[in-house]
């Protein structure tokens, strides 16, 4: 039985295509399998082992602890191997690793692990908040202000009513006085008496001549 040449050619083409496909798959999977980011977290240390990265690009690595930088962003090439000491802590810490591969996001890594508390670490005592001591307020006794200065000069009292002296002459009686008729009558009597005396004196003189 004779196989046509065309059939042989077709079979050869299929085999060649399969070989090329397998070679491409191997070449494509090679870089992906080469990126090996491994890291470990203990109670007091972080160990980084980043190997088989693409040395022809710029790769970056960052480590933070509870949001604070433990390892600020550093660049590396093919490998990165480093150990980082954790700060003392009495509570578990959240440690985050971020690796950015320069040859594609699919090779990058963003992972968080927890660092436990080391055995024998005494719990931290809460720091007492300072209390504000207010100075005791001493009540001040206000001295009473003088309401008024006593006047040294005594206000003159009202003058006493003047009492008439017994030796002082009587004041002239006015016409409205009740003694006016009596005085008038006495004056008439004096005039009459005087007239009688004068008359008797003249009569005696006449009798002697």
């Amino acid at each position: 039985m004779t196989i046509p040449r065309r059939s042989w050619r077709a079979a050869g083409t299929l085999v060649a295509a399969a070989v090329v496909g397998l070679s491409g798959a191997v070449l494509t999977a090679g870089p992906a399998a080469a990126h090996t980011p491994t890291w470990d977290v203990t109670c007091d240390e972080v160990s980084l082992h980043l190997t088989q990265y693409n040395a022809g690009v710029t790769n970056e690595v960052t480590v933070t602890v509870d949001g604070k930088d433990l390892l600020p962003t550093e660049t590396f090439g093919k490998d990165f191997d480093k150990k980082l000491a954790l700060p003392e802590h009495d509570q578990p810490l959240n440690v985050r690793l971020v690796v950015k591969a320069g040859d594609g996001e699919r090779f990058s890594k963003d992972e968080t692990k927890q660092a436990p508390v080391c055995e024998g670490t005494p719990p931290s005592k809460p720091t007492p908040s300072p209390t504000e001591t207010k100075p005791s307020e001493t009540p001040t006794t206000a001295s009473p202000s003088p309401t008024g200065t006593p006047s040294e000069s005594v206000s003159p009292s009202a003058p006493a009513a003047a009492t008439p002296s017994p030796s002082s002459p009587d004041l002239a009686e006015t016409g409205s006085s009740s003694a006016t008729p009596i005085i008038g009558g006495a004056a008439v009597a004096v005039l009459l008496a005087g007239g009688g005396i004068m008359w008797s004196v003249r009569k005696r003189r006449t009798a002697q001549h």
Side-chain angles (χ1 to χ4, degrees), residues 96-170:
R96 181 184 179 188
L97 170 68
V98 177
V99 179
K100 291 184 179 180
D103 52 356
E105 287 295 329
R106 64 185 182 278
F107 306 130
S108 298
K109 187 178 185 66
D110 188 343
E111 189 175 3
T112 300
K113 294 183 180 181
Q114 195 173 68
V117 179
C118 294
E119 295 182 2
T121 302
S124 61
K125 297 181 180 179
T127 304
S129 58
T131 57
E132 297 181 0
T133 57
K134 295 183 179 179
S136 59
E137 298 181 357
T138 304
T140 57
T141 305
S143 57
S145 58
T147 55
T149 304
S151 175
E152 294 180 0
S153 60
V154 181
S155 59
S157 59
T163 56
S165 174
S167 62
S168 62
D170 296 336

Side-chain angles (χ1 to χ4, degrees), residues 55-102:
V57 296
T58 301
N59 306 301
E60 295 180 352
V61 57
T62 306
V63 179
T64 58
V65 176
D66 287 344
K68 297 180 181 180
D69 285 342
L70 181 65
L71 174 67
T73 302
E74 286 191 18
T75 59
F76 67 97
K78 182 179 179 181
D79 300 323
F80 185 86
D81 194 351
K82 197 168 189 178
K83 291 184 178 181
L84 307 171
L86 288 172
E88 293 184 1
H89 54 281
D90 57 357
Q91 297 290 334
L93 299 177
N94 293 321
V95 183
R96 181 184 179 188
L97 170 68
V98 177
V99 179
K100 291 184 179 180

Side-chain angles (χ1 to χ4, degrees), residues 18-40:
V19 171
V20 171
L22 290 173
S23 300
V26 171
L27 293 175
T28 304
H35 296 77
T36 310
T38 59
W39 64 305
D40 297 320

Side-chain angles (χ1 to χ4, degrees), residues 181-208:
I182 299 175
I183 295 174
V188 173
V190 170
L191 290 176
L192 291 176
I197 292 173
M198 290 295 294
W199 178 78
S200 62
V201 170
R202 287 180 180 179
K203 186 176 180 180
R204 287 179 182 179
R205 287 178 179 179
T206 302
Q208 292 177 357

